[in-house]
């Protein structure tokens, strides 16, 4: 079975500081991993994904994520936070071995960037 | 929210009434999905469809029904059997094919309130 955990309900970061939003996953095979962002009363927007290869994935709006197979983690990072980064962030996983197109979402982490 | 439209944005219904939420995509995607979002629970999959005239139950299908008569359309009906229908409903699509790390594209959502 697939699962995703986002251990922090909320993360507070001062503007200009680096930010990290944590994600760990569990799949029986190898994963595809995704990060999405949601602004209030909007749908989710895709940020980045890990397929294979380089463990550091770069995505939209200056975000990046680091895949760590031994720790089964895929933490989202940004070197310098902006107030406009404040939003709800979702990590998601799909087991490569599954033939269906389902992906499993975490419960989300609310990121607050403090001016 | 590129290429996926959901209507209406807000919907109010009386208890005991069925209601249909619209989802249309012009991305030529094969796969479409319906999620329900409740505070603190992330996204839960209701139904998904990988191809026209075929769909599969997700994790919380009870009280919901769908159809996929056209590639671009995947309407969701919330029936009177759904015990707690008030929620934010999100439609998504992806290229999908049973393989590949295809990200999902989301519509803007419909907020349904049942009283």
């Amino acid at each position: 079975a697939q699962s995703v955990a986002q251990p922090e309900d909320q993360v507070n970061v001062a503007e200009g500081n680096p930010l990290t939003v944590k994600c760990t996953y569990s799949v029986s095979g190898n994963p595809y991993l995704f990060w999405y962002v949601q602004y209030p009363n909007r749908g989710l927007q895709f940020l980045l994904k890990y397929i294979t290869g380089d463990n550091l994935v770069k995505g939209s709006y200056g975000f990046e994520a680091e895949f760590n197979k031994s720790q089964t983690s895929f933490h989202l990072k940004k070197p310098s936070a902006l107030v406009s980064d404040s939003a709800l962030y979702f990590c998601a996983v799909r087991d490569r071995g599954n033939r269906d197109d389902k992906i499993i979402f975490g419960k989300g982490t609310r990121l607050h960037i403090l001016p | 929210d590129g290429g996926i439209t959901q209507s209406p944005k807000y919907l109010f219904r009386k208890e005991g009434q069925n209601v249909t939420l619209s989802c249309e995509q012009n991305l030529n995607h094969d796969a479409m999905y319906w999620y329900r979002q409740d505070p603190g629970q992330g996204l839960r999959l209701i139904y998904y469809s990988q191809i026209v005239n075929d769909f599969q139950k997700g994790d919380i299908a009870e009280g919901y029904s769908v159809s996929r008569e056209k590639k671009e359309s995947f309407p969701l009906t919330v029936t009177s059997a759904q015990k707690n229908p008030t929620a934010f409903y999100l439609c998504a699509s992806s290229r999908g094919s049973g393989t590949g790390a295809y990200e999902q594209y989301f519509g803007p959502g419909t907020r349904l309130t049942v009283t």
Side-chain angles (χ1 to χ4, degrees), chain A:
Chain A
Q2 310 170 88
S3 67
V4 176
Q6 294 182 242
E8 302 154 317
D9 290 335
Q10 182 169 311
V11 172
N12 296 324
V13 177
E15 186 177 24
N17 282 3
L19 70 87
T20 298
V21 183
K22 295 179 181 177
C23 171
T24 59
Y25 67 90
S26 176
V27 295
S28 56
N30 291 311
Y32 294 130
L33 293 155
F34 307 83
W35 274 102
Y36 290 83
V37 60
Q38 185 181 33
Y39 297 99
N41 296 311
R42 301 287 298 276
L44 277 67
Q45 295 177 33
F46 168 72
L47 280 177
L48 51 81
K49 65 182 175 184
Y50 171 79
I51 303 175
T52 188
D54 194 345
N55 289 341
L56 187 64
V57 179
K58 294 188 183 297
S60 305
Y61 312 120
F63 284 94
E64 57 190 26
E66 186 168 12
F67 172 64
N68 187 318
K69 187 171 183 177
S70 63
Q71 297 185 5
T72 61
S73 67
F74 190 55
H75 300 332
L76 181 70
K77 301 181 180 185
K78 188 173 182 181
S80 178
L82 300 172
V83 172
S84 58
D85 292 330
S86 299
L88 187 58
Y89 289 81
F90 290 95
C91 181
V93 67
R94 181 183 166 198
D95 190 326
R96 292 174 193 237
N98 286 356
R99 293 290 300 178
D100 62 40
D101 291 304
K102 292 166 59 175
I103 66 174
I104 305 301
F105 287 86
K107 292 187 184 297
T109 297
R110 190 163 298 280
L111 179 63
H112 286 287
I113 307 301
L114 309 171

Side-chain angles (χ1 to χ4, degrees), chain B residues 61-75:
Chain B
E62 185 176 351
Y64 299 97
S65 65
V66 293
S67 63
R68 186 87 186 275
E69 297 176 359
K70 299 186 295 182
K71 187 175 186 177
E72 58 270 23
S73 179
F74 191 41

